[in-house]
Amino acid sequence: MALKINGLGIMPEDTRICVVMVGLPARGKSYIAQRAQRYLKWLSVPAATFNVGNYRRTNAPHPPANFFDTNNAEGERQRRAAADAAITDMLKWFKSGGVVGILDATNSTKERRKWVLERITSEGIEVIFVESRCDDEELVMANIRDVKTSSPDYVGQDPEQATLDFRERIRNYEKVYKSINEDKDEDHLTYLKIMNVGKQVFINRIQDYLQSRVVYFLMNLHIRPRSVWLSRHGESMFNLDGRIGGDAKLSHRGEEYARKLPELVRESVGSDRPLTVWTSTLKRTIATARHLPKHYNQLQWKALDELDAGVCDGLTYQEIADQYPEDFAARDEDKYNYRYRGGESYRDVVIRLEPIIMELERSEDILIISHQAVIRCIYAYFMQKTQEDSPWVPVPLHTLMKLTPRAYGTELQTYKANIKAVSTWRGKGSTAKHEDPSPEGGI
Amino acid sequence: MDTLLTAEIAVNAPRYRRKSSTFIDGIHDVPEEQGNLAPAQLYSTMSGRLFHSGRIAIVMVGLPARGKTHICVSMARYLSWLGVKTRIFHLGDYRRATVEGGHVPQDYFFPNASPSSVMLRQKILKKCRDDVYAWLNHENGQVAIYDAVNPTANGRLVLAKEFAKHDVQTLFIESYVDDQEILKENARNVKISSPDFYGMDPDEAAKHYLKRIETKIPVFETMNEAELNYVKMINAGRAFYYNNVSFNYLSHRIVFYLTNLHIKSRTTFFVRAGPATDEDSYKADAPLSEEGKVYAEKMTETLLRHREQERQTANEQGGTDIPLRPLTVWTSTRLRTVQTSEPLKEAGYRVRQRSQMSQINPGVCEKLSERAIRSMYPEEVEKHELDPYHHRYPRAESYHDLAVRLEPIILELEREQNDLLIIAHESVLRVLYSYLMHCSTMDIPKLKFPRDEIIEIIPAAYQNEAKRVHIPGLDPRTIPGSPEDIRIYVPHDNNANIPPIPGMSSPEPAEVPIASRPPEKIPNMAKDMVSDKVADED
């Protein structure tokens, strides 16, 4: 066991968990795995996903459906070898300090689960099985069309043909599929079974806090397709002056953006389907949302308020550098962890945003109008930005972002309002009021 | 009518107190001012309702002896901690207020009860529900927990419909137990002190009691209503089934909490770390001083002796040989707390370190005297005096920050099944204590944990109870205050109405000679308050 020990033999508690996915193909397993990993990493828990399909693909890049027939001995052997390779790599990763590993595969038989359980627990790692069950044929087909035809297995193939082939592949799995504890002889396992996209959930034998936390997150997930829209408030009077924080009103151009926003949103949504709008409790976001159609439901969250700059609230970067030179330097050195005097750090903001992320995960069609630091944290969650990078991401004013989570990553589309605004981005060490973001890494 | 009602409540429901000392679990208090009971509230809304969840009724389902009251009280504790305005409505309280002693007719729970029993039942239900609505509508309540048996599917459907009519979302929580061992254990724990079973063998008493429930409530249908939102907690949390029609964040959060809850009884002890060589520095993380090592030895000795005494007392009362529950020790990752646990570790006890439990960060106040802080940060001191709980000195943590950081610890505290000794800094003890004993945020920064006392918190289904155990023979200089604490002025309480808190209201070492003070127990009023609850059957 790789344990962190300090000079005096002090050993912090270590729990290591392997989340083993279970379920037929096209039940959103990869999606769930990827979301769980992203959430844990966002909360600073080392997490990684090991996709057995990727290991199998190195030997069989574009397998036909009958490769997955259990009577196909060669196919069976190759799939077993892929699972073995994935687990070996995962165990190696645990030894190097991993905390939550996710094994993404179908694991659809009792024998396979037993084998996986034994291999992993023998290394002192806890196992929790997570099964996604779905009997709604329509939802499954939608998932196949949406995800699987873009899967690496079907690159360059006719989508219609791919869908049919994939349906055939699933039938081969269905022949041997056993839901966890279906025969009542797997009651000793720790598992979470999510049925019909979270309509029913069964939780069995949770052993510790981290497991309960993972289960809690997964209960909040749904696998229906949806998007999240993000926008900063319109340009404010403080933005014009290059001042941070405060509760200023919108500038003329900011007002213009507020009036343009409904059109921009409709263009992005593609229909009159209403969104739910979340703003902060500050004037500038509420004002930005006020021209949106009446049938859009609007809610204000304190948790969406801008990062609290404490004593620096209302100052320009130049003033901060003059009045608090040490702080100014300390912040650039570790922007994620730096906490303003009497204020907050990015880490603090992430912690207070956790309920928002939970609520986002279980909702559909949300438009968030908030502030630079807060949008950065939410953006980092969806786009898997590291803690070093996320506080520096340029989030321009007067731009609407549409984030669409997919099984293999989040898709980003931006819609510019084409209304001029100052830049509020600031490079490391700079005290410029309005600086153009460096071309690379921008949204 | 009004006075009559007040009198009735006073007589029949002593738990609706206006104010209690911090040594009594405040979970059933009805506070006069609002907003002081939300240690870890993440944000506030105009309506005072959190998570953009509307108003919610949590309706308990389950036969007696399934740990319902324990679940209700724990849930209320956690939700209040998060800042959600929560109140429990025990139907049993209303029964007792309506019928003397709560002695309802024999057929009260029968499906084919006589018309007079049905009338009585409806009268009691109506009164309880009227209170629920009044509280949600006029007192800005958010979560009403309705504690009753609710045995039939039909009754539950009607109830959900009625709540929906009042724009209240319903979430049912059933505690379902078919494991005979758990049933017996519950019956033993909760009902053993009832006079009916006095002198009876505990196992025998438990069996009698369970039999009596069956006769009294002949029909019970476990939840299977597809159209209702419900959580079924199976065998005290071994498994959960969760039927989700229209849940939101708050409901998920409740389930998250429940997955960490268990219904076994265990004790929590709090002690301070011993004094260190460099008391004033937060950053230094100094080891224990010589006195600190002596403290660690004496504390360990006293604790182990106390546990043994408790066991003997329990055996004398219970008549059987009950073994000691195992003891787990938690410390922070700060050196002095770890070293304070050394003697216990050597004695073979399991010690775990938790990084979240490190002391409050003093920020700029590190190493400053109160006077220096006053002269350097007069405005901050002013703000601090107004709201010592939420105010944050430059670069420091507020108690609120600390509470939010400790939330995972709270959940693990609930999860722990062994007896637990927590060795931590006074600031951490204050916050954890306030969770278990439900203190007001105004009181939390003032709680005192002198070094010569072990605080013992004994859980009971209805409310927790705190005791203190004196550690004799310590150097008086090491006892008071918290030398490593931030020396920040905390305003004295001007409210003369608050009775001096026993044991916690600064008994100056000069007034009470330490050596002569006997090991003492707090007069336990909690027990009298729950005496009527003990014999209660639902």
Side-chain angles (χ1 to χ4, degrees):
Chain A
M1 290 211 302
L3 294 172
K4 288 164 254 154
I5 296 175
N6 74 8
L8 290 140
I10 292 175
M11 195 177 75
E13 194 63 33
D14 263 334
T15 314
R16 293 170 308 159
I17 297 175
C18 177
V19 177
V20 179
M21 303 303 301
V22 175
L24 292 170
R27 261 64 180 183
K29 287 190 307 299
S30 294
Y31 182 83
I32 292 171
Q34 189 235 33
R35 303 308 279 274
Q37 176 193 329
R38 177 196 308 166
Y39 169 74
L40 290 163
K41 282 175 96 163
W42 190 65
L43 289 174
S44 308
V45 176
T49 305
F50 297 83
N51 182 311
V52 173
N54 288 343
Y55 286 83
R56 186 258 306 148
R57 248 164 242 132
T58 53
N59 284 330
H62 306 292
N66 67 20
F67 178 84
F68 299 92
D69 191 331
T70 39
N71 296 323
N72 180 339
E74 176 56 18
E76 186 69 9
R77 193 194 60 76
Q78 281 193 28
R79 288 188 297 130
R80 171 83 170 237
D84 194 56
I87 292 176
T88 307
D89 277 3
M90 177 188 280
L91 294 175
K92 226 182 273 165
W93 174 80
F94 272 121
K95 287 206 173 89
S96 69
V99 175
V100 179
I102 304 167
L103 185 69
D104 183 10
T106 51
N107 297 308
S108 53
T109 64
K110 283 193 277 184
E111 295 70 34
R112 176 56 66 92
R113 290 194 285 269
K114 185 162 177 281
W115 175 74
V116 168
L117 181 75
E118 278 165 9
R119 277 219 54 189
I120 295 168
T121 47
S122 66
E123 300 285 326
I125 294 157
E126 295 172 5
V127 171
I128 174 168
F129 290 94
V130 174
E131 175 171 357
S132 172
R133 258 195 95 159
C134 182
D135 306 326
D136 186 337
E137 183 70 13
E138 218 169 284
L139 216 67
V140 172
M141 285 310 279
N143 197 2
I144 293 176
R145 270 190 298 271
D146 187 49
V147 187
K148 294 303 170 182
T149 52
S150 64
S151 146
D153 281 351
Y154 294 108
V155 172
Q157 294 186 29
D158 171 39
E160 215 31 57
Q161 195 56 42
T163 305
L164 285 176
D165 184 84
F166 201 81
R167 195 69 197 83
E168 195 49 42
R169 188 196 289 192
I170 294 175
R171 289 201 211 292
N172 279 320
Y173 276 106
E174 277 169 351
K175 284 186 222 154
V176 291
Y177 174 58
K178 268 276 188 285
S179 180
I180 302 176
N181 206 21
E182 195 181 325
D183 296 345
K184 304 278 171 221
D185 56 357
E186 289 179 298
D187 190 46
H188 57 286
L189 299 181
T190 296
Y191 67 86
L192 166 70
K193 198 188 285 195
I194 304 171
M195 287 157 280
N196 296 318
V197 207
K199 281 283 169 220
Q200 291 88 32
V201 176
F202 197 90
I203 304 168
N204 199 50
R205 294 186 190 269
I206 296 296
Q207 297 161 45
D208 64 31
Y209 173 70
L210 193 53
Q211 285 185 355
S212 75
R213 184 121 204 160
V214 170
V215 165
Y216 169 49
F217 173 74
L218 294 179
M219 284 188 328
N220 279 293
L221 274 184
H222 66 75
I223 55 176
R224 292 182 297 274
R226 56 73 185 271
S227 300
V228 175
W229 285 264
L230 303 176
S231 169
R232 288 178 65 188
H233 53 81
E235 184 187 68
S236 75
M237 298 308 279
F238 261 36
N239 291 149
L240 283 179
D241 296 348
R243 296 185 182 282
I244 64 169
D247 192 7
K249 289 190 174 140
L250 294 182
S251 71
H252 280 297
R253 294 189 300 200
E255 288 289 351
E256 211 183 310
Y257 177 67
R259 283 193 298 273
K260 183 89 185 277
L261 189 60
E263 187 195 318
L264 210 57
V265 171
R266 213 171 301 125
E267 182 199 331
S268 167
V269 175
S271 71
D272 278 336
R273 178 162 55 101
L275 304 184
T276 300
V277 185
W278 295 353
T279 67
S280 73
T281 64
L282 298 169
K283 286 181 199 140
R284 52 193 187 276
T285 63
I286 297 168
T288 305
R290 76 181 191 283
H291 298 297
L292 289 164
K294 288 278 170 289
H295 64 288
Y296 282 25
N297 197 10
Q298 295 202 10
L299 297 169
Q300 290 166 25
W301 292 78
K302 183 82 186 154
L304 287 173
D305 281 4
E306 180 59 311
L307 185 143
D308 180 356
V311 292
C312 297
D313 189 75
L315 302 185
T316 63
Y317 286 117
Q318 188 59 53
E319 284 166 345
I320 298 171
D322 293 345
Q323 295 174 29
Y324 305 97
E326 280 171 39
D327 287 84
F328 191 75
R331 184 157 199 261
D332 275 2
E333 203 175 289
D334 186 358
K335 199 172 175 188
Y336 188 80
N337 289 304
Y338 171 81
R339 175 182 284 153
Y340 275 109
R341 288 171 184 253
E344 290 179 303
S345 64
Y346 271 87
R347 185 181 288 279
D348 293 339
V349 173
V350 163
I351 291 169
R352 83 159 133 94
L353 280 175
E354 215 235 80
I356 297 271
I357 292 297
M358 279 300 173
E359 191 70 16
L360 262 184
E361 285 296 356
R362 52 157 233 96
S363 318
E364 289 164 58
D365 293 343
I366 303 287
L367 163 61
I368 296 180
I369 301 175
S370 183
H371 308 264
Q372 179 164 262
V374 173
I375 300 268
R376 275 174 178 158
C377 294
I378 298 173
Y379 179 83
Y381 170 74
F382 282 104
M383 305 303 284
Q384 293 223 55
K385 288 279 168 200
T386 62
Q387 294 177 357
E388 291 80 52
D389 293 342
S390 61
W392 301 98
V393 171
V395 187
L397 286 164
H398 300 177
T399 306
L400 179 69
M401 285 184 264
K402 179 186 180 187
L403 300 174
T404 310
R406 301 241 182 250
Y408 296 97
T410 304
E411 215 174 270
L412 169 74
Q413 278 169 283
T414 54
Y415 299 84
K416 295 223 172 273
N418 295 322
I419 297 166
K420 278 208 165 131
V422 297
S423 162
T424 56
W425 184 85
R426 182 185 69 88
K428 220 173 237 194
S430 161
T431 56
K433 261 190 193 171
H434 307 299
E435 185 179 348
D436 274 333
S438 50
E440 72 274 12
I443 291 177
Chain B
M1 181 60 207
D2 262 8
T3 44
L4 192 72
L5 198 71
T6 319
E8 197 176 79
I9 288 171
V11 168
N12 294 306
R15 54 192 60 81
Y16 287 118
R17 306 182 300 273
R18 283 284 151 189
K19 199 92 190 169
S20 66
S21 88
T22 50
F23 231 102
I24 305 274
D25 187 354
I27 192 67
H28 298 283
D29 281 9
V30 182
E32 267 161 301
E33 328 104 66
Q34 297 306 328
N36 286 345
L37 284 167
Q41 186 167 353
L42 283 171
Y43 58 96
S44 51
T45 58
M46 287 299 281
S47 67
R49 298 198 179 105
L50 291 186
F51 304 116
H52 294 290
S53 296
R55 300 173 310 169
I56 297 176
I58 295 179
V59 178
M60 302 304 297
V61 176
L63 288 168
R66 265 70 179 177
K68 285 197 306 301
T69 302
H70 173 68
I71 295 168
C72 288
V73 171
S74 306
M75 219 157 34
R77 202 183 289 291
Y78 178 65
L79 290 173
S80 311
W81 165 269
L82 292 176
V84 176
K85 261 192 81 177
T86 309
R87 190 182 291 175
I88 310 170
F89 297 83
H90 299 284
L91 192 59
D93 289 347
Y94 289 84
R95 206 159 40 238
R96 273 186 299 281
T98 313
V99 187
E100 204 186 323
H103 299 301
V104 292
Q106 192 59 47
D107 63 348
Y108 185 80
F109 288 104
F110 288 10
N112 55 348
S114 67
S116 70
S117 288
V118 172
M119 288 254 291
L120 177 65
R121 199 159 64 196
Q122 274 162 357
K123 184 179 156 196
I124 292 168
L125 286 174
K126 184 170 182 308
K127 218 162 153 191
C128 179
R129 261 173 251 162
D130 285 349
D131 274 10
V132 170
Y133 297 134
W135 183 69
L136 291 172
N137 292 332
H138 306 303
E139 291 185 58
N140 210 14
Q142 183 169 7
V143 174
I145 302 178
Y146 177 56
D147 180 16
V149 178
N150 295 307
T152 65
N154 191 40
R156 294 188 291 257
L157 286 167
V158 171
L159 195 61
K161 234 179 252 168
E162 200 201 298
F163 278 130
K165 233 177 16 203
H166 286 80
D167 200 20
V168 176
Q169 214 197 358
T170 311
L171 162 63
F172 289 89
I173 296 184
E174 176 178 353
S175 177
Y176 176 85
V177 181
D178 61 2
D179 182 323
Q180 292 304 313
E181 277 312 303
I182 299 177
L183 270 182
K184 257 197 259 166
E185 172 81 19
N186 276 358
R188 249 194 318 246
N189 279 345
V190 186
K191 317 291 171 177
I192 199 166
S193 24
S194 164
D196 289 8
F197 303 116
Y198 187 77
M200 213 184 262
D201 170 60
D203 276 340
E204 196 63 20
K207 218 183 283 170
H208 265 272
Y209 176 73
L210 292 173
K211 191 86 207 146
R212 211 155 89 180
I213 294 169
E214 260 173 57
T215 354
K216 213 171 162 189
I217 311 174
V219 177
F220 180 82
E221 297 156 0
T222 183
M223 288 204 76
N224 195 22
E225 294 94 294
E227 63 272 55
L228 297 180
N229 282 321
Y230 69 86
V231 176
K232 195 184 287 195
M233 190 171 176
I234 300 159
N235 288 329
R238 194 173 304 155
F240 289 86
Y241 181 79
Y242 184 68
N243 193 57
N244 177 1
V245 182
S246 55
F247 271 169
N248 58 27
Y249 179 71
L250 191 56
S251 325
H252 289 307
R253 191 116 197 174
I254 292 167
V255 176
F256 174 42
Y257 178 74
L258 291 179
T259 55
N260 283 294
L261 195 67
H262 65 80
I263 53 179
K264 295 199 180 113
S265 175
R266 62 147 190 88
T267 301
T268 308
F269 298 97
F270 289 142
V271 298
R272 296 252 312 273
T277 53
D278 185 355
E279 283 290 302
D280 290 336
S281 179
Y282 167 77
K283 288 177 190 135
D285 196 12
L288 284 185
S289 64
E290 282 312 307
E291 297 88 64
K293 287 177 195 153
V294 172
Y295 165 78
E297 293 291 344
K298 295 223 154 120
M299 182 275 290
T300 303
E301 204 184 294
T302 309
L303 178 76
L304 297 182
R305 197 175 51 232
H306 172 73
R307 274 169 52 84
E308 185 51 36
Q309 272 169 5
E310 293 275 285
R311 187 179 73 98
Q312 277 173 17
T313 318
N315 283 347
E316 276 158 30
Q317 282 168 359
T320 42
D321 197 28
I322 305 161
L324 263 180
R325 270 188 303 271
L327 177 76
T328 300
V329 183
W330 288 1
T331 70
S332 74
T333 41
R334 312 270 303 167
L335 202 46
R336 73 184 66 168
T337 65
V338 176
Q339 291 186 345
T340 304
S341 74
E342 280 305 306
L344 282 161
K345 199 173 179 184
E346 277 160 30
Y349 291 93
R350 188 162 164 241
V351 180
R352 298 179 67 178
Q353 286 145 24
R354 335 231 59 161
S355 61
Q356 296 103 321
M357 289 202 328
S358 66
Q359 72 199 68
I360 197 164
N361 185 335
V364 296
C365 298
E366 184 184 8
K367 291 183 167 183
L368 292 182
S369 68
E370 187 189 318
R371 208 163 126 202
I373 295 172
R374 283 185 168 281
S375 71
M376 287 167 75
Y377 304 99
E379 287 152 37
E380 296 291 336
V381 171
E382 212 171 283
K383 282 191 219 157
H384 188 84
E385 283 171 7
L386 284 175
D387 190 355
Y389 186 80
H390 292 99
H391 174 261
R392 179 190 287 151
Y393 276 95
R395 319 307 294 277
E397 276 178 308
S398 65
Y399 273 94
H400 177 253
D401 293 333
L402 181 60
V404 171
R405 150 152 82 83
L406 284 171
E407 207 221 318
I409 294 291
I410 299 281
L411 286 153
E412 293 210 51
L413 195 80
E414 290 295 351
R415 170 158 282 282
E416 184 63 53
Q417 307 217 351
N418 294 345
D419 276 358
L420 186 62
L421 168 69
I422 293 179
I423 305 176
H425 185 267
E426 199 169 20
S427 55
V428 172
L429 297 184
R430 284 180 181 133
V431 173
L432 294 178
Y433 182 89
S434 78
Y435 167 74
L436 288 172
M437 300 302 283
H438 200 76
C439 304
S440 143
T441 50
M442 290 309 285
D443 289 332
I444 293 170
K446 288 183 290 185
L447 296 173
K448 286 204 170 59
F449 295 86
R451 272 221 180 80
D452 65 340
E453 282 174 1
I454 298 170
I455 306 291
E456 176 180 20
I457 295 177
I458 301 154
Y462 198 71
Q463 61 186 3
N464 293 337
E465 179 194 318
K467 263 192 215 174
R468 61 185 177 133
V469 182
H470 177 60
I471 305 174
L474 291 179
D475 181 346
R477 280 170 307 171
T478 64
I479 292 165
S482 178
E484 73 267 43
D485 197 2
I486 327 170
R487 302 230 175 97
I488 298 171
Y489 174 78
V490 174
H492 285 290
D493 211 318
N494 298 322
N495 190 348
N497 293 329
I498 299 180
I501 300 156
M504 290 214 153
S505 67
S506 54
E508 297 300 326
E511 286 169 33
V512 188
I514 301 277
S516 71
R517 199 168 57 195
E520 56 188 311
K521 286 185 180 176
I522 298 306
N524 180 10
M525 288 178 282
K527 218 159 214 155
D528 301 332
M529 284 177 191
V530 297
S531 62
D532 66 333
K533 193 69 197 169
V534 169
D536 189 22
E537 309 227 328
D538 97 331

